[in-house]
Amino acid sequence: MNIEMDKSENQELIVLVSRLKKENEQLRIRVKELEEKLNNKQNSLLNSNTNSKLKESTLQKTETFDKAPPIYKDLTLAEYMLYGRQLILSDFGKSGQLKLKNTSILIVGAGGLGAPAAIYLAAAGVGKLGIVDYDKVERSNLHRQIIHNELREGISKAQSAKMTIEELNSLCNCVAYEILLESSNALEIVQKYDIVIDATDNVATRYLLNDACVLSGKPLISGGALRMDGQLTVYNYKRGPCYRCLFPKPPPPESILNCADGGILGVVTGVIGCLQALQAIKIATENDESPNNLLIFSATSYPLFRSIKLRSKKKDCALCGDHPSITRLEDYVQFCGSGATDKSPSVKALGHEDRIEPKIYHNLRNKTPHVLIDVRETVQYDICSLPNSINIPLKDLPDRIGEVKNLLETPNTPVYVICRLGNDSQHAVNILKTHLKSELKEVKDIIGGLHKWSIEVDQEFPIY
Ligand SMILES: Nc1ncnc2c1ncn2[C@@H]1O[C@H](COP(=O)(O)OP(=O)(O)OP(=O)(O)O)[C@@H](O)[C@H]1O
Ligand SMILES: [Zn+2]
């Protein structure tokens, strides 16, 4: 019996010792990591002091990629272990890893493109990552903005991205800017970084970042994605053009479509965001021999990628040309005629008399004979629709006026028009009024569209 007890005590002791040894080892690694993190922070503090001195000096337009001299001259033991699989690449090696460690990258936009770009850059060992985003995490972001998650809904995207990065690689010094990047703050932030990634979704910020990068001599890795397509370009790099060399004038605001209206396949932003990260690594490690190209990706065509060689910079470019007229940041919202935020502003195309609240329409719905036209695209109509509505997409409406006419039982039959948010429906009312002036007694748009309907009338109706 005693021998049996001795045996089992012995066994327990062996297990305990082995557990303590394991914990001891884990603590040793953790202490090492924390020491490195502290070291990083001290170094970046040193760096930011140098930068603020730099900031005080006059802002000069520089043409080459100006990178601060290396601060870190070697890798730590934890870094050898962490980056081992890429250290052994002949095109990368220890020198590549050290260059990454000494590089700071600014990602503007922690959305569909910024999310994968930030994750891969942090994991690869970039020394400092700045993340700018003024917005908060929404549920409809999560199919593509994979740096956030369900628990982060409603919190700042910049903070959420920082949290993920710190969990992924605590050696990366991540700075979150919970702000809208605009003329008043862009230069100050851009100047603090070696490379800038444009992961935003609007034209005003595209011009702002282009100008800030040219004025402070930073390469700009620009990406875009919509529906099933995407593209990638590097501006202001290796004597290549800037965005203004290619597009001196912004497109008309009404021609611009965003993801909320046009849709986007999550993985398409993943492809372009990863390519932005790859391009940043190639620039940081001075391993980029490719000419200045516009890379076009289409998920629905073959081959998936096409590449177009870009022109060299324009001698008469207003920004980067020989005699520039733009020497400071401008008012980009005014220049582009559209804001830096992509939240669709409410259209006000109709007077009060031509509009009806969803609740009032709901009350008359089963009592008054009427025609309800839903002017969303058919793909959206097929997602969800109100019973007895007729789908005529806005773009087809002028050609299908005859159909509307045939639907009217009498000239007095009222017509109501609905869409997703209550913007297109207003344009549709104007089209109907123009074409059916004498035939129609009453034609109204349902205020706030199906979105407001599902909030105020039927909570079971999907919001998408
Ligand atoms: N000037 C800016 N300053 C800071 N963040 C910006 C600026 N312009 C755009 N962004 C951010 O860039 C990101 C763009 O990503 P994306 O288009 O995937 O997201 P989204 O705007 O959340 O999409 P959705 O259209 O579905 O609402 C957004 O998070 C947006 O807040
Ligand atoms: Zn230019």
Side-chain angles (χ1 to χ4, degrees):
M1 183 71 183
N2 275 350
I3 293 178
E4 275 310 300
M5 268 182 67
D6 275 358
K7 261 190 183 169
S8 94
E9 265 177 29
N10 212 8
Q11 199 61 33
E12 274 173 25
L13 276 174
I14 292 172
V15 173
L16 190 67
V17 168
S18 120
R19 212 184 70 212
L20 286 173
K21 268 189 179 165
K22 205 168 173 192
E23 279 176 10
N24 187 29
E25 180 59 18
Q26 280 170 344
L27 281 172
R28 232 170 40 84
I29 294 176
R30 186 75 189 130
V31 167
K32 220 174 204 148
E33 281 172 2
L34 288 172
E35 276 173 358
E36 275 169 19
K37 208 170 171 190
L38 184 69
N39 204 9
N40 270 352
K41 286 249 153 44
Q42 281 168 345
N43 274 316
S44 76
L45 215 66
L46 222 131
N47 202 10
S48 75
N49 283 343
T50 326
N51 269 332
S52 50
K53 274 188 203 128
L54 254 176
K55 213 169 41 185
E56 282 154 25
S57 67
T58 352
L59 186 63
Q60 288 290 330
K61 198 170 90 175
T62 41
E63 291 208 328
T64 49
F65 168 39
D66 264 348
K67 208 168 152 252
I71 298 168
Y72 301 105
K73 302 226 162 29
D74 208 347
L75 300 176
T76 61
L77 288 180
E79 284 168 332
Y80 283 106
M81 202 182 284
L82 197 53
Y83 309 124
R85 298 296 181 275
Q86 61 196 34
L87 280 172
I88 57 175
L89 291 170
S90 54
D91 286 335
F92 192 79
K94 186 173 170 183
S95 72
Q97 194 66 56
L98 267 171
K99 282 176 188 161
L100 266 195
K101 188 175 175 179
N102 282 300
T103 297
S104 56
I105 299 178
L106 181 70
I107 302 179
V108 185
L113 302 173
I119 287 174
Y120 272 108
L121 289 174
V126 167
K128 180 178 169 188
L129 266 188
I131 312 242
V132 190
D133 207 306
Y134 67 88
D135 210 357
K136 296 195 163 51
V137 177
E138 289 172 32
R139 187 145 290 217
S140 63
N141 298 149
L142 298 181
H143 79 118
R144 68 188 190 283
Q145 303 182 15
I146 52 167
I147 204 161
H148 315 300
N149 61 48
E150 287 182 6
L151 298 175
R152 312 259 178 87
E153 217 181 311
I155 79 159
S156 140
K157 284 190 183 179
Q159 277 303 338
S160 163
K162 183 178 156 76
M163 282 157 79
T164 302
I165 285 170
E166 285 179 346
E167 281 165 14
L168 176 66
N169 187 352
S170 61
L171 300 178
C172 176
N173 172 19
C174 182
V175 184
Y177 301 89
E178 294 172 50
I179 53 162
L180 177 75
L181 200 79
E182 50 193 354
S183 308
S184 60
N185 55 25
L187 269 182
E188 191 187 339
I189 297 174
V190 163
Q191 279 173 340
K192 290 186 177 143
Y193 292 84
D194 300 315
I195 299 169
V196 179
I197 292 184
D198 181 357
T200 66
D201 54 353
N202 61 82
V203 187
T205 308
R206 231 171 252 298
Y207 279 97
L208 166 73
L209 277 175
N210 178 65
D211 293 6
C213 284
V214 170
L215 291 172
S216 46
K218 313 286 177 177
L220 173 65
I221 304 171
S222 175
L226 187 69
R227 293 181 167 148
M228 309 291 266
D229 308 323
Q231 59 184 55
L232 173 90
T233 328
V234 184
Y235 295 112
N236 196 40
Y237 181 55
K238 292 201 303 190
R239 298 201 54 79
C242 80
Y243 187 63
R244 282 186 191 263
C245 289
L246 305 179
F247 307 102
K249 295 243 154 58
E254 61 278 10
S255 69
I256 303 163
L257 195 60
N258 62 27
C259 293
D261 296 328
I264 178 79
L265 192 70
V267 74
V268 171
T269 57
V271 170
I272 302 297
C274 285
L275 287 172
Q276 286 181 287
L278 177 65
Q279 188 61 53
I281 290 174
K282 285 166 85 174
I283 294 176
T285 56
E286 296 158 288
N287 200 2
D288 184 21
E289 294 308 320
S290 58
N292 286 304
N293 276 336
L294 164 66
L295 187 69
I296 299 173
F297 169 78
S298 173
T300 50
S301 43
Y302 189 80
L304 293 173
F305 290 98
R306 278 181 304 134
S307 177
I308 297 170
K309 192 172 176 322
L310 289 183
R311 50 161 306 143
S312 49
K313 66 160 77 192
K314 240 167 99 185
K315 279 192 162 57
D316 60 349
C317 173
L319 180 70
C320 73
D322 294 343
H323 306 286
S325 54
I326 302 166
T327 53
R328 58 174 62 190
L329 298 184
E330 301 184 328
D331 181 340
Y332 296 90
V333 178
Q334 192 187 38
F335 176 61
C336 300
S338 57
T341 65
D342 72 340
K343 308 285 168 225
S344 319
S346 303
V347 167
K348 286 197 181 68
L350 298 176
H352 188 67
E353 64 288 358
D354 293 323
R355 313 198 68 192
I356 185 166
E357 285 291 341
K359 275 185 180 163
I360 300 179
Y361 169 70
H362 178 241
N363 287 339
L364 63 76
R365 195 166 148 74
N366 295 325
K367 295 177 203 149
T368 316
H370 67 280
V371 172
L372 175 64
I373 304 177
D374 186 326
V375 290
R376 293 172 300 152
E377 287 293 315
T378 305
V379 64
Q380 294 192 41
Y381 186 79
D382 288 345
I383 297 171
C384 52
S385 62
L386 291 182
N388 303 325
S389 59
I390 290 134
N391 180 218
I392 306 181
L394 181 65
K395 65 172 179 2
D396 302 334
L397 190 57
D399 297 332
R400 292 174 64 179
I401 289 293
E403 230 174 284
V404 179
K405 224 167 147 177
N406 293 338
L407 291 167
L408 302 174
E409 280 171 23
T410 68
N412 286 339
T413 308
V415 174
Y416 300 104
V417 187
I418 199 159
C419 65
R420 183 156 77 106
L421 297 169
N423 292 335
D424 282 354
S425 52
Q426 295 184 57
H427 299 307
V429 166
N430 276 332
I431 294 172
L432 290 171
K433 279 167 77 175
T434 312
H435 288 81
L436 293 172
K437 219 178 228 160
S438 51
E439 281 95 336
L440 277 176
K441 190 161 168 266
E442 178 171 311
V443 50
K444 290 185 174 180
D445 109 280
I446 298 176
I447 297 171
L450 290 163
H451 193 271
K452 200 169 181 199
W453 175 269
S454 58
I455 294 169
E456 293 187 358
V457 177
D458 178 8
Q459 278 84 29
E460 293 295 304
F461 195 86
I463 290 182
Y464 63 94

